[in-house]
Amino acid sequence: MAGRGLARGPGMLLVWLYGVMSVGAVSRSVLQIATEFDRAPLAYTLSALAAVVYVFITYTLVRGGETARKAALVCCAAELVGVLTVGTWTLVDPGAFPDATVWSDYGYGYVFIPVLLPVTGILWLRKARRPSPA
Amino acid sequence: MLDALTVAVSVAALALAAWCGFAAYRDQPTKDWHFIGMAVVSVLALAQLVVGIVRLAGGGEADEGTAIFLAYLIGAVCAVPAAGFLSLAERTRWGSATVAAGALVLAVLEVRLYDIWTR
């Protein structure tokens, strides 16, 4: 693999899970935005945003290197904030969400993977830090 | 859809998940036997895709829509082979864990497929 250090060991499992979430979130938002965007614009826009974050993190994990590691770390943090914000938002104000997003109720519909993934991601990315070879 | 086949794929997927999870627990990479197991599960998922298409062609209708149904069928076929491919690149216990996760994803897809077809 071209990746230096990020897609090895536990990182491989993370690549797989982020890959699955990417495929799931992307196909879900493409379908929803293409067919019934007007029904729940906010929910579908947030799903699309989640999809972009997942794809980007998957890419950085596979690419590897110190810059990618930092970028992935920032995105995992953003992802965590996103899940917590949207999760709380959907619970407090369900009226704003006629349909579910990927991050509704802290990712309940996805076995809570959306809220667990960024945490394990951040742990792994911190552990994978090492002086980058010249 | 064909309920028996859905159940068969789910059970096979869970068995594969347990088997590869056990290999990961014992600190072992995936071996030839695991790949044969993955092939069996993938063939079952492929059969399911064919049955699904035949049902659609025969006038059957998925409750939540044809596009979603087909997307999940294709996802079900790809899940285990994709994880198996990753485990070829990761010859440690984590490769086995990845396949176990892939098989679990397939089991979840099966539950969703059942929902999508009949609700």
Side-chain angles (χ1 to χ4, degrees):
Chain A
M1 293 230 116
R4 188 185 301 127
L6 290 183
R8 77 185 145 77
M12 184 57 95
L13 187 55
L14 274 181
V15 168
W16 167 251
L17 290 174
Y18 269 110
V20 169
M21 288 309 292
S22 301
V23 172
V26 166
S27 37
R28 178 190 174 124
S29 4
V30 166
L31 192 75
Q32 288 178 330
I33 289 176
T35 58
E36 44 178 15
F37 184 68
D38 294 336
R39 195 157 77 85
L42 178 62
Y44 298 157
T45 307
L46 285 171
S47 281
L49 186 69
V52 171
V53 173
Y54 285 131
V55 170
F56 184 76
I57 295 178
T58 311
Y59 170 71
T60 50
L61 283 174
V62 172
R63 190 168 183 281
E66 184 59 16
T67 317
R69 193 188 68 83
K70 279 182 184 148
L73 208 47
V74 170
C75 282
C76 281
E79 183 196 350
L80 186 58
V81 171
V83 177
L84 294 179
T85 310
V86 175
T88 309
W89 193 357
T90 46
L91 288 179
V92 171
D93 184 15
F97 295 88
D99 198 1
T101 78
V102 176
W103 288 346
S104 282
D105 305 342
Y106 306 111
Y108 173 78
Y110 290 83
V111 227
F112 291 115
I113 289 179
V115 75
L116 298 175
L117 210 45
V119 177
T120 39
I122 288 172
L123 289 177
W124 165 244
L125 287 167
R126 285 174 58 87
K127 195 161 171 263
R129 170 175 32 193
R130 48 182 55 188
S132 54
Chain B
M1 261 249 299
L2 209 57
D3 287 350
L5 193 53
T6 309
V7 172
V9 177
S10 311
V11 171
L14 288 177
L16 181 68
W19 191 18
C20 291
F22 184 61
Y25 173 73
R26 298 215 308 174
D27 204 2
Q28 287 176 345
T30 45
K31 296 181 177 155
D32 286 356
W33 283 106
H34 294 115
F35 282 97
I36 292 171
M38 288 177 228
V40 170
V41 174
S42 305
V43 167
L44 284 174
L46 201 57
Q48 194 181 33
L49 173 65
V50 173
V51 169
I53 291 174
V54 169
R55 283 289 165 100
L56 284 176
E61 233 171 281
D63 268 12
E64 290 182 35
T66 307
I68 298 180
F69 182 61
L70 277 177
Y72 270 86
L73 279 176
I74 293 168
V77 172
C78 296
V80 167
F85 187 70
L86 289 182
S87 86
L88 278 178
E90 179 62 40
R91 305 303 301 150
T92 66
R93 68 190 310 178
W94 294 104
S96 307
T98 303
V99 177
L104 282 181
V105 167
L106 175 56
V108 173
L109 289 179
E110 290 303 313
V111 176
R112 280 288 293 134
L113 266 174
Y114 181 80
D115 279 349
I116 291 167
W117 185 255
T118 51
R119 170 158 293 187

